Short mmCIF file of all heavy atoms in Angstrom, two decimals:
data_model
loop_
_atom_site.label_atom_id
_atom_site.label_comp_id
_atom_site.label_asym_id
_atom_site.label_seq_id
_atom_site.Cartn_x
_atom_site.Cartn_y
_atom_site.Cartn_z
N GLU K 435 -22.67 -12.32 -29.85
CA GLU K 435 -22.59 -11.49 -28.60
C GLU K 435 -21.32 -11.76 -27.85
O GLU K 435 -20.66 -10.89 -27.35
CB GLU K 435 -23.82 -11.81 -27.73
CG GLU K 435 -23.89 -10.92 -26.53
CD GLU K 435 -24.90 -11.42 -25.46
OE1 GLU K 435 -25.69 -12.34 -25.80
OE2 GLU K 435 -24.84 -10.95 -24.37
N LEU K 436 -20.97 -13.06 -27.80
CA LEU K 436 -19.79 -13.48 -27.05
C LEU K 436 -18.52 -12.94 -27.74
O LEU K 436 -17.57 -12.59 -27.05
CB LEU K 436 -19.75 -15.01 -26.87
CG LEU K 436 -20.72 -15.51 -25.79
CD1 LEU K 436 -20.72 -17.13 -25.83
CD2 LEU K 436 -20.38 -15.02 -24.40
N LYS K 439 -18.05 -9.48 -26.57
CA LYS K 439 -17.64 -9.39 -25.13
C LYS K 439 -16.22 -9.91 -24.98
O LYS K 439 -15.49 -9.44 -24.09
CB LYS K 439 -18.65 -10.13 -24.37
CG LYS K 439 -20.05 -9.44 -24.19
CD LYS K 439 -20.86 -10.22 -23.22
CE LYS K 439 -22.25 -9.62 -22.87
NZ LYS K 439 -22.61 -8.29 -23.31
N GLU K 442 -13.74 -7.38 -26.01
CA GLU K 442 -13.65 -6.33 -24.93
C GLU K 442 -12.79 -6.82 -23.79
O GLU K 442 -11.89 -6.05 -23.25
CB GLU K 442 -15.06 -6.11 -24.42
CG GLU K 442 -15.32 -4.74 -23.79
CD GLU K 442 -16.85 -4.67 -23.42
OE1 GLU K 442 -17.68 -4.69 -24.39
OE2 GLU K 442 -17.13 -4.57 -22.26
N ALA K 456 -12.40 -7.48 -15.20
CA ALA K 456 -13.23 -8.31 -14.33
C ALA K 456 -14.70 -8.10 -14.70
O ALA K 456 -15.46 -9.08 -14.80
CB ALA K 456 -12.99 -7.97 -12.89
N ALA K 457 -15.14 -6.91 -14.91
CA ALA K 457 -16.56 -6.63 -15.34
C ALA K 457 -16.88 -7.26 -16.63
O ALA K 457 -17.96 -7.84 -16.81
CB ALA K 457 -16.79 -5.14 -15.38
N SER K 458 -15.97 -7.24 -17.58
CA SER K 458 -16.26 -7.90 -18.88
C SER K 458 -16.31 -9.38 -18.80
O SER K 458 -17.17 -9.99 -19.37
CB SER K 458 -15.02 -7.61 -19.88
OG SER K 458 -14.95 -6.23 -20.08
N LEU K 459 -15.46 -9.95 -17.98
CA LEU K 459 -15.48 -11.42 -17.74
C LEU K 459 -16.84 -11.81 -17.16
O LEU K 459 -17.49 -12.73 -17.57
CB LEU K 459 -14.34 -11.88 -16.83
CG LEU K 459 -14.27 -13.35 -16.50
CD1 LEU K 459 -14.12 -14.19 -17.80
CD2 LEU K 459 -13.05 -13.57 -15.55
N ARG K 460 -17.22 -11.05 -16.16
CA ARG K 460 -18.52 -11.29 -15.52
C ARG K 460 -19.69 -11.25 -16.59
O ARG K 460 -20.61 -12.03 -16.52
CB ARG K 460 -18.81 -10.31 -14.42
CG ARG K 460 -20.01 -10.58 -13.56
CD ARG K 460 -20.26 -9.42 -12.67
NE ARG K 460 -21.29 -9.73 -11.64
CZ ARG K 460 -22.62 -9.71 -11.80
NH1 ARG K 460 -23.08 -9.42 -13.02
NH2 ARG K 460 -23.40 -9.93 -10.81
N ALA K 461 -19.59 -10.24 -17.41
CA ALA K 461 -20.66 -10.13 -18.50
C ALA K 461 -20.64 -11.37 -19.33
O ALA K 461 -21.78 -11.73 -19.90
CB ALA K 461 -20.40 -8.90 -19.35
N ILE K 462 -19.54 -11.94 -19.55
CA ILE K 462 -19.52 -13.17 -20.38
C ILE K 462 -20.21 -14.30 -19.63
O ILE K 462 -20.90 -15.09 -20.22
CB ILE K 462 -18.06 -13.52 -20.70
CG1 ILE K 462 -17.51 -12.52 -21.70
CG2 ILE K 462 -17.91 -14.91 -21.32
CD1 ILE K 462 -15.98 -12.65 -21.96
N TRP K 463 -19.96 -14.37 -18.32
CA TRP K 463 -20.69 -15.39 -17.55
C TRP K 463 -22.19 -15.15 -17.59
O TRP K 463 -22.94 -16.08 -17.77
CB TRP K 463 -20.29 -15.29 -16.06
CG TRP K 463 -18.80 -15.54 -15.74
CD1 TRP K 463 -17.90 -16.24 -16.57
CD2 TRP K 463 -18.05 -15.18 -14.65
NE1 TRP K 463 -16.65 -16.24 -15.98
CE2 TRP K 463 -16.74 -15.66 -14.75
CE3 TRP K 463 -18.39 -14.52 -13.42
CZ2 TRP K 463 -15.78 -15.40 -13.81
CZ3 TRP K 463 -17.47 -14.35 -12.44
CH2 TRP K 463 -16.13 -14.81 -12.66
N VAL K 464 -22.60 -13.90 -17.41
CA VAL K 464 -24.00 -13.57 -17.42
C VAL K 464 -24.69 -13.94 -18.77
O VAL K 464 -25.78 -14.49 -18.75
CB VAL K 464 -24.23 -12.07 -17.18
CG1 VAL K 464 -25.65 -11.61 -17.49
CG2 VAL K 464 -23.88 -11.73 -15.71
N ALA K 465 -23.97 -13.80 -19.87
CA ALA K 465 -24.57 -14.14 -21.14
C ALA K 465 -25.00 -15.61 -21.19
O ALA K 465 -26.00 -15.96 -21.81
CB ALA K 465 -23.55 -13.88 -22.30
N GLY K 466 -24.30 -16.49 -20.50
CA GLY K 466 -24.66 -17.83 -20.43
C GLY K 466 -26.01 -18.12 -19.72
O GLY K 466 -26.85 -18.85 -20.21
N GLU K 468 -28.38 -15.88 -19.47
CA GLU K 468 -29.37 -15.21 -20.32
C GLU K 468 -29.83 -16.27 -21.38
O GLU K 468 -31.00 -16.40 -21.67
CB GLU K 468 -28.91 -13.99 -20.99
CG GLU K 468 -28.72 -12.82 -20.02
CD GLU K 468 -28.04 -11.57 -20.57
OE1 GLU K 468 -27.55 -11.71 -21.78
OE2 GLU K 468 -27.95 -10.60 -19.95
N TYR K 500 -15.75 -20.73 -20.06
CA TYR K 500 -15.61 -19.90 -18.90
C TYR K 500 -14.39 -20.34 -18.07
O TYR K 500 -13.68 -19.45 -17.52
CB TYR K 500 -16.90 -20.00 -18.03
CG TYR K 500 -18.09 -19.38 -18.73
CD1 TYR K 500 -19.34 -19.56 -18.16
CD2 TYR K 500 -17.98 -18.68 -19.90
CE1 TYR K 500 -20.48 -19.00 -18.80
CE2 TYR K 500 -19.15 -18.07 -20.48
CZ TYR K 500 -20.36 -18.32 -19.89
OH TYR K 500 -21.47 -17.73 -20.51
#
Side-chain angles (χ1 to χ4, degrees):
Chain K
E435 187 194 347
L436 285 174
K439 288 187 176 352
E442 202 176 298
S458 297
L459 178 59
R460 187 190 192 278
I462 291 173
W463 299 340
V464 167
E468 287 170 356
Y500 293 171

